[in-house]
Amino acid sequence: MSDAVTSPAAGQAAADGAAPCYRIAVRALCEFTAKQGDLDLRFTPSPSAQEGIAGHALVAGRRAGGYQTEVALSQQYRQLLVRGRADGYDPGRQRIDEVKTYLGALDRMPDNHRRLHWAQARIYGHLLCRQYGLEQIDVALIYLDIASQKETVLHELHAASALAQFFEQQCERFLAWAEQELAHRRARDAALTALPFAHAEFRSGQRPLAEAVYKANLAGRCLMAQAPTGIGKTIGTLFPMLKACPSQQLDKVFYLAAKSSGRQMALDALTLLGAGAPGLPLRVLELVARDKACVHPELACHGDSCPLARGFYDRLPPARAAAVQAATLDKASLRALALQHEVCPYYLSQDLVRWADVVVGDYNYYFDASALLYGLSVQNQWQVSVLVDEAHNLLPRARAMYTAELQLGRLTQMRAAAPASLRKPFAALHRQWQALCRDQEVAYQVYPEIAEKFRYALQQACGAILDYFAQAQAGAADAPATAPEAAEAPDTGEHLQRFYFDALHFLRMDEVFGSHALFDIAKERGEVVLCIRNVIPAPFLTPRFAASRSTVLFSATLSPAQFYADTLGLPDDAARIEVDSPFSHGQLTVRVQRDISTRYRDRDASLLPIVALVAEQYDKVRGNYLAFFSSYDYLQKVLALFRQRHPEIPVWEQQRHMDEAGQSAFLQRFCADGSGIGFAVLGGAFAEGIDLPGQRLIGAFIATLGLPQVNPVNEEIMRRMNHLFGQQYGYDYTYLFPGIQKVVQAAGRVIRTVSDRGVIHLIDDRYARAAVQRLLPRWWKADTTK
């Protein structure tokens, strides 16, 4: 079943001179009006999108000739336009089919899910009766088990008049909300049309950035914007995106960030824009990870365990109504509102996405394989535009999203404690795992494909785990309510569940395996790790870009632009802009230390010269400095020698696995009236996304070119880059471009405003090379004479 849009079409209706109309998908209408009871997320994994599509095709393929699929249906009821596509219609049997794919035990499906499915099927039945002039119709729910491909068919015979009455009841329940949403949309668009900029004037470089974002929305194009730190990129992109909403009929704006600090900057910018337009009717929602939002992490997500899941859908309507009256719902305010209404904050936020104007969240909410925002946008055909903050981070993050890994050690541990029903499939999987690498004599090797016997064994193991969980849940449900095991399946174990989801992800990445990825096996100290390693996420991200009106990727380091366009899969017509820096080379002294090599073989020889250089600069100009190194080991060696030779100079260091409190303490050492040197790792928490203006930071030492480590994995990635993009690009795409990007980000911590002054020491002879110099910011004037 494919539903149509869920959005107020007030803008188009007004343009056509017709009464405002609220368009809503059949599924969305039913989710609003027919969902009741508990939130129940017991172990019920969903089929992937590919599995769902294949399952629907399988069901249709089994039907007789004349069977119709994806039947477009619609009806206007007062101010509602209800639209959707019925999965199938058999004219000979006069039966409409609503197909649902599933994994696990069908009898464990919560009752409220089944009621929702029936509601959708009945509405499709009504729409079809009306379209074809039928007096009655057989309405069928078809559940397809993805694993066994077995169909379970449930059906009801309905008179057209009864279905019409049901349809009108659902519409009536939604009408008041639709009228509210239409009024909100009119007010929102009027306010955004008149929205003033938050400041009296734009900063240098901010106006051309804002103009480029606005024009990209008008043209319906993606945009890559490289703009220097300090010009106000956050508000400089949000403002024109909001201004484009009325004319481009944007339903929503998604602001995506790699870190929580980026989300907070967006929320602050939106607050600032709202301050310039009191009463701005703009609904802003922050999405946070489930583990950060959960109130009861020790409890399971179902009504028998968690009080905030019990009766969730019964208490959702008043919580939703209260939420849309709030201008901004960040993590804290959303949690407070959810607790006031005794509902889960995390799942309340997922419902509120449908009613928000601006959603602020992590990259994964739009770009991941099971991304919420992307899924809802496609399902509801929303008109959305997307802002991607610090977009240089999207490449490594997307690679991680589409990489899957399995460890033999975990399987071995589970085999030892496996229940009887899992021992045989685990043993078979273990045998095939060993067979994969039996002849592998090296520690790391890439293979052209995954052996069919291993794939089959992994599928069988996943099916057995699924059956085990279903049986365990059935036993828990039948247990006395007072029994402690009643709320949880006995002996399931987090490790077993984690392995199942890892295996499922592995199988799904195997389904789409291609030249964009490597399949490799690593053997070390008895461990055998299988990895489907994404190299180029472009095939997965391209549909995300296509689903938006405009996606704007912005960062201080999006150079070379073609590198990011190739690896991320931006469309060929994507616009590009490089904003001139408001800073001058007179503000920043850049010195290349060409007499020092930081190559791995030269590390020990570099220690003393680096210590002398840092101490000399500190003695020359006292203040706060950051010193960046390629690894913790290198950092520790330089730091130990520095403390030995210069104990009088204050130093502090970035620790491995530093928590938020530790990071905060590290940054607090950089006070305006203080002095000392903070030692950090390039590419870590302190190399980007931190703001230390003025005297809080006056210089940086970068003792590395930032190049990824030369190892078998990266060498294979380089070979694949050579194959995909040409021999001249493999090294640059794998090593040079990612390395220099980290260097420029780290150096960008020094000059934050037009009044800042500072110095950067680039410590390595390779910085003097022309190929490297071309990648540095144009406004730098590097001194390579020393």
Side-chain angles (χ1 to χ4, degrees):
M1 173 269 296
S2 175
D3 281 340
V5 296
T6 309
S7 62
Q12 185 62 46
D16 296 341
C21 175
Y22 192 100
R23 299 170 296 173
I24 187 165
V26 171
R27 177 174 173 175
L29 175 64
C30 294
E31 286 180 341
F32 190 94
T33 63
K35 264 193 171 181
Q36 301 172 354
D38 295 351
L39 178 68
D40 194 337
L41 295 170
R42 273 172 272 218
F43 188 74
T44 52
S46 300
S48 67
Q50 292 91 343
E51 289 170 333
I53 293 170
H56 280 67
L58 177 65
V59 170
R62 291 171 173 173
R63 300 304 183 259
Y67 187 77
Q68 301 174 21
T69 61
E70 293 292 305
V71 183
L73 300 167
S74 66
Q75 178 183 343
Q76 182 155 349
Y77 180 84
R78 294 173 59 182
Q79 289 177 279
L80 290 183
L81 177 61
V82 182
R83 303 197 301 183
R85 291 180 180 272
D87 290 325
Y89 175 56
D90 186 338
R93 302 172 68 180
Q94 214 163 291
R95 190 178 87 175
I96 189 167
D97 294 339
E98 175 70 2
V99 180
K100 300 294 183 184
T101 55
Y102 72 96
L103 290 167
L106 184 58
D107 60 358
R108 302 310 304 161
M109 179 178 289
D111 289 340
N112 57 358
H113 288 203
R114 184 72 54 81
R115 287 196 298 269
L116 175 63
H117 298 162
W118 274 121
Q120 292 173 230
R122 289 166 187 154
I123 286 185
Y124 279 118
H126 159 70
L127 295 175
L128 194 132
C129 283
R130 182 176 179 273
Q131 184 160 305
Y132 290 170
L134 304 178
E135 293 185 359
Q136 67 177 21
I137 192 168
D138 190 12
V139 179
L141 266 182
I142 300 176
Y143 289 102
L144 177 71
D145 186 336
I146 288 296
S148 68
Q149 298 190 344
K150 175 186 175 183
E151 292 182 29
T152 300
V153 181
L154 310 175
H155 60 93
E156 303 172 338
L157 185 64
H158 285 281
S161 58
L163 291 176
Q165 183 179 10
F166 179 80
F167 171 76
E168 292 176 5
Q169 287 173 346
Q170 306 311 305
C171 290
E172 287 292 338
R173 291 176 185 173
F174 188 74
L175 269 174
W177 186 270
E179 290 169 357
Q180 170 189 286
E181 291 304 289
L182 286 167
H184 168 75
R185 181 63 169 264
R186 289 192 296 269
R188 186 204 76 169
D189 286 354
L192 292 180
T193 299
L195 182 68
F197 190 56
H199 303 290
E201 58 184 25
F202 287 94
R203 294 183 190 176
S204 176
Q206 208 171 39
R207 179 178 284 279
L209 173 62
E211 289 176 350
V213 173
Y214 187 77
K215 289 176 181 177
N217 270 275
L218 296 187
R221 300 170 67 188
C222 290
L223 170 68
M224 294 179 62
Q226 178 167 288
T229 297
I231 71 166
K233 293 190 292 292
T234 304
I235 201 167
T237 53
L238 270 169
F239 175 69
M241 194 72 90
L242 294 176
K243 294 292 286 185
C245 284
S247 64
Q248 301 310 304
Q249 298 179 47
L250 296 183
D251 297 310
K252 301 180 190 302
V253 170
F254 300 148
Y255 188 101
L256 309 175
K259 299 179 180 179
S260 58
S261 57
R263 297 201 309 268
Q264 188 57 54
M265 289 177 67
L267 293 170
D268 291 344
L270 289 163
T271 300
L272 189 60
L273 286 168
L280 177 67
L282 188 72
R283 298 171 183 164
V284 178
L285 173 68
E286 181 186 17
L287 294 179
V288 298
R290 180 171 165 177
D291 61 335
K292 299 288 179 64
C294 185
V295 178
H296 299 295
E298 75 284 0
L299 301 178
C301 291
H302 58 79
D304 294 334
S305 177
C306 179
L308 300 182
R310 191 177 307 122
F312 175 85
Y313 292 108
D314 300 326
R315 293 192 294 273
L316 177 59
R320 179 196 291 136
V324 298
Q325 300 304 314
T328 299
L329 284 172
D330 59 9
K331 174 185 174 182
S333 56
L334 178 67
R335 184 186 182 96
L337 186 144
L339 292 180
Q340 180 183 348
H341 291 271
E342 300 181 271
V343 294
C344 171
Y346 179 72
Y347 288 99
L348 173 61
S349 72
Q350 296 208 343
D351 179 85
L352 293 178
V353 167
R354 295 160 175 82
W355 321 113
D357 300 308
V358 180
V359 181
V360 179
D362 187 86
Y363 289 169
N364 67 285
Y365 283 106
Y366 191 77
F367 291 110
D368 191 67
S370 56
L372 172 72
L373 297 180
Y374 172 70
L376 287 175
S377 297
V378 173
Q379 173 186 306
N380 295 303
Q381 296 181 17
W382 287 335
Q383 185 86 316
V384 304
S385 283
V386 182
L387 291 169
V388 185
D389 178 35
E390 300 292 0
H392 60 274
N393 287 306
L394 184 56
L395 175 58
R397 284 288 304 278
R399 280 175 169 171
M401 292 173 195
Y402 295 98
T403 290
E405 185 177 280
L406 293 175
Q407 298 179 8
L408 180 60
R410 292 184 179 177
L411 176 62
T412 302
Q413 289 176 351
M414 288 188 299
R415 283 187 68 197
S421 61
L422 296 180
R423 289 171 191 162
K424 185 176 180 179
F426 278 4
L429 177 59
H430 190 270
R431 285 194 300 272
Q432 294 304 322
W433 202 315
Q434 296 284 21
L436 277 180
C437 58
R438 183 176 295 127
D439 299 327
Q440 181 173 317
E441 298 179 353
V442 294
Y444 176 84
Q445 187 168 329
V446 171
Y447 294 82
E449 60 184 3
I450 297 168
E452 181 59 38
K453 289 184 178 180
F454 175 81
R455 180 184 296 114
Y456 178 77
L458 187 59
Q459 290 169 340
Q460 292 299 108
C462 285
I465 294 172
L466 203 57
D467 291 342
Y468 168 77
F469 274 109
Q471 292 168 7
Q473 287 176 8
D478 295 337
T482 55
E485 68 272 21
E488 295 294 335
D491 303 323
T492 56
E494 291 183 7
H495 295 298
L496 183 59
Q497 193 171 120
R498 182 70 264 166
F499 178 81
Y500 174 82
F501 283 117
D502 288 345
L504 206 59
H505 183 53
F506 191 93
L507 288 169
R508 288 171 176 173
M509 291 300 99
D510 178 41
E511 287 179 10
V512 292
F513 183 73
S515 61
H516 57 268
L518 304 171
F519 171 54
D520 56 50
I521 301 178
K523 301 170 68 175
E524 184 178 3
R525 299 176 185 174
E527 179 64 281
V528 180
V529 179
L530 312 181
C531 185
I532 297 176
R533 189 182 309 277
N534 180 265
V535 176
I536 305 294
F540 304 105
L541 304 190
T542 297
R544 269 71 174 164
F545 298 134
S548 68
R549 171 70 183 174
S550 174
T551 296
V552 176
L553 297 92
F554 61 98
S555 167
T557 50
L558 278 182
S559 180
Q562 194 59 46
F563 165 62
Y564 288 99
D566 286 343
T567 53
L568 297 178
L570 272 83
D572 293 337
D573 68 346
R576 300 175 185 178
I577 181 176
E578 183 173 353
V579 178
D580 291 335
S581 174
F583 311 133
S584 67
H585 64 84
Q587 293 180 250
L588 182 68
T589 301
V590 182
R591 297 197 175 105
V592 174
Q593 307 301 320
R594 58 191 307 172
D595 56 342
I596 300 176
S597 168
T598 62
R599 298 170 180 82
Y600 185 77
R601 65 175 182 269
D602 300 323
R603 292 278 171 83
D604 289 342
S606 73
L607 302 181
L608 190 57
I610 291 174
V611 167
L613 172 67
V614 173
E616 179 185 356
Q617 175 64 43
Y618 182 84
D619 287 340
K620 183 178 179 181
V621 182
R622 295 290 177 95
N624 294 313
Y625 294 86
L626 269 167
F628 293 102
F629 300 87
S630 57
S631 68
Y632 282 100
D633 290 338
Y634 196 12
L635 182 156
Q636 290 295 334
K637 286 182 177 181
V638 175
L639 181 58
L641 184 60
F642 192 91
R643 281 174 166 155
Q644 177 186 336
R645 294 201 165 235
H646 303 281
E648 74 285 357
I649 299 178
V651 293
W652 52 97
E653 63 187 292
Q654 179 180 355
Q655 302 286 345
R656 295 179 189 267
H657 312 300
M658 219 171 192
D659 59 18
E660 290 186 6
Q663 293 178 18
S664 178
F666 182 93
L667 293 174
Q668 286 175 4
R669 295 290 299 270
F670 293 88
C671 51
D673 57 353
S675 63
I677 303 164
F679 284 68
V681 175
L682 190 71
F686 306 112
E688 64 175 271
I690 62 168
D691 195 22
L692 299 171
Q695 294 302 304
R696 293 190 67 190
L697 183 69
I698 64 168
F701 307 89
I702 304 177
T704 173
L705 216 64
L707 306 182
Q709 185 184 52
V710 177
N711 57 34
V713 174
N714 285 330
E715 288 296 283
E716 286 292 346
I717 290 175
M718 183 175 72
R719 293 187 187 97
R720 184 56 55 87
M721 293 289 193
N722 283 332
H723 172 71
L724 293 173
F725 302 113
Q727 292 291 328
Q728 69 270 35
Y729 293 112
Y731 175 81
D732 289 349
Y733 276 30
T734 306
Y735 293 104
L736 184 60
F737 295 162
I740 299 303
Q741 174 266 313
K742 289 187 289 186
V743 169
V744 176
Q745 276 290 330
R749 302 313 96 201
V750 177
I751 302 298
R752 309 295 294 177
T753 72
V754 293
S755 61
D756 285 353
R757 298 289 185 274
V759 61
I760 295 171
H761 290 272
L762 302 176
I763 307 174
D764 193 282
D765 61 283
R766 288 167 290 180
Y767 279 114
R769 295 178 179 176
V772 175
Q773 288 281 309
R774 284 195 293 269
L775 299 175
L776 301 179
R778 292 182 303 184
W779 65 278
W780 287 11
K781 300 297 181 183
D783 179 2
T784 62
T785 58
K786 186 172 181 180

